[in-house]
Amino acid sequence: AQSVAQPEDQVNVAEGNPLTVKCTYSVSGNPYLFWYVQYPNRGLQFLLKYITGDNLVKGSYGFEAEFNKSQTSFHLKKPSALVSDSALYFCAVRDCCMNYGGSQGNLIFGKGTKLSVKP
Amino acid sequence: GAGVSQTPSNKVTEKGKYVELRCDPISGHTALYWYRQSLGQGPEFLIYFQGTGAADDSGLPNDRFFAVRPEGSVSTLKIQRTERGDSAVYLCASSDRGAEQFFGPGTRLTVL
């Protein structure tokens, strides 16, 4: 079965410091991996994805994530945090080849990590 | 361009009543998804449409839940005989050829 784990309920970072939000996954085939951000009372916004190719992927707002197949991880990173980055972050996975295959299909989400960036 | 829209933004109903939640996807997106998000949890998959047909409805919790997409665009999620446990934020997303899904703002359903 597919699953996603976000081991930290909350991450606290000082503005200007680097941040990491952790994610590990479990799928039987090759993973499609995603990060989304959710601001209060708003829908989820897509940040970045890993489908294939370079293990380091860059996304919106200066975020990046590194796919590590041996550790089954896809941690979200940013070199210098901003107060405005404070939000709820969700990691999601899809097994590329389950059921109907292709690029489309349902995502399995983690429980989310609350990022708090203090001035 | 316009993103995914959902109506209503909030719905309060009484236990046992019927509700309909509407989703308007991004124009031209062939795939449409419904998820449910409870407090403190990530979204949970309900159903996925490819065009007019339900490609995967394995996430629907029981037969009180039903969804349609008759013309391959707008979708309606229907919940019969609502229960207090149905209270959650219902999210709709759409996608085109890319794997990423674009989410609407959600409908917050409260069953009293």
Side-chain angles (χ1 to χ4, degrees), chain A residues 36 44 46 104-105 107, chain B residues 2-6 23-35 47-50 69 72-75 91-104:
Chain A
Y36 285 83
L44 282 85
F46 169 74
Q104 296 175 331
L107 300 179
Chain B
V4 177
S5 62
Q6 293 185 244
C23 172
D24 220 318
I26 293 172
S27 178
H29 278 192
T30 56
L32 185 146
Y33 309 81
W34 283 99
Y35 293 84
I47 186 169
Y48 153 49
F49 287 91
Q50 185 61 252
R69 194 187 186 198
S73 178
V74 170
S75 175
L91 298 169
C92 177
S94 69
S95 69
D96 194 10
R97 297 178 189 177
E100 65 268 31
Q101 298 174 18
F102 297 92
F103 283 79

Side-chain angles (χ1 to χ4, degrees), chain A residues 10-107:
Chain A
Q10 181 156 345
V11 171
N12 299 312
V13 179
E15 187 175 33
N17 283 1
L19 69 88
T20 298
V21 182
K22 295 179 181 177
C23 171
T24 59
Y25 66 90
S26 175
V27 297
S28 55
N30 292 322
Y32 289 175
L33 293 154
F34 306 83
W35 276 101
Y36 285 83
V37 60
Q38 188 174 39
Y39 295 99
N41 300 314
R42 296 181 65 178
L44 282 85
Q45 294 179 33
F46 169 74
L47 277 180
L48 51 78
K49 67 181 178 184
Y50 170 83
I51 302 296
T52 187
D54 287 344
N55 290 342
L56 184 65
V57 294
K58 295 185 183 296
S60 307
Y61 313 119
F63 284 93
E64 59 189 29
E66 185 165 13
F67 170 62
N68 187 317
K69 188 173 184 177
S70 63
Q71 296 185 5
T72 61
S73 67
F74 190 57
H75 301 330
L76 181 70
K77 300 183 180 185
K78 187 173 182 181
S80 179
L82 300 173
V83 173
S84 58
D85 292 330
S86 299
L88 197 52
Y89 290 80
F90 290 96
C91 181
V93 69
R94 184 171 115 70
D95 186 324
C96 76
C97 305
M98 272 195 70
N99 299 330
Y100 28 81
S103 62
Q104 296 175 331
N106 65 291
L107 300 179

Side-chain angles (χ1 to χ4, degrees), chain B residues 2 7 10 21-22 31 43 45-46 50 56 59 69 72-73 84 109:
Chain B
T7 55
N10 278 285
L21 311 180
R22 175 189 167 107
F45 168 72
L46 295 176
Q50 185 61 252
D56 183 354
R69 194 187 186 198
S73 178
R84 293 195 179 89
L109 175 66

Side-chain angles (χ1 to χ4, degrees), chain B residues 6 10 16 20 22-23 51 53-54 62 74 79-80 83 89 105 107 112:
Chain B
Q6 293 185 244
N10 278 285
E20 289 189 351
R22 175 189 167 107
C23 172
N62 52 60
V74 170
I79 310 174
Q80 298 177 322
E83 299 177 356
V89 176
T107 293
L112 301 177

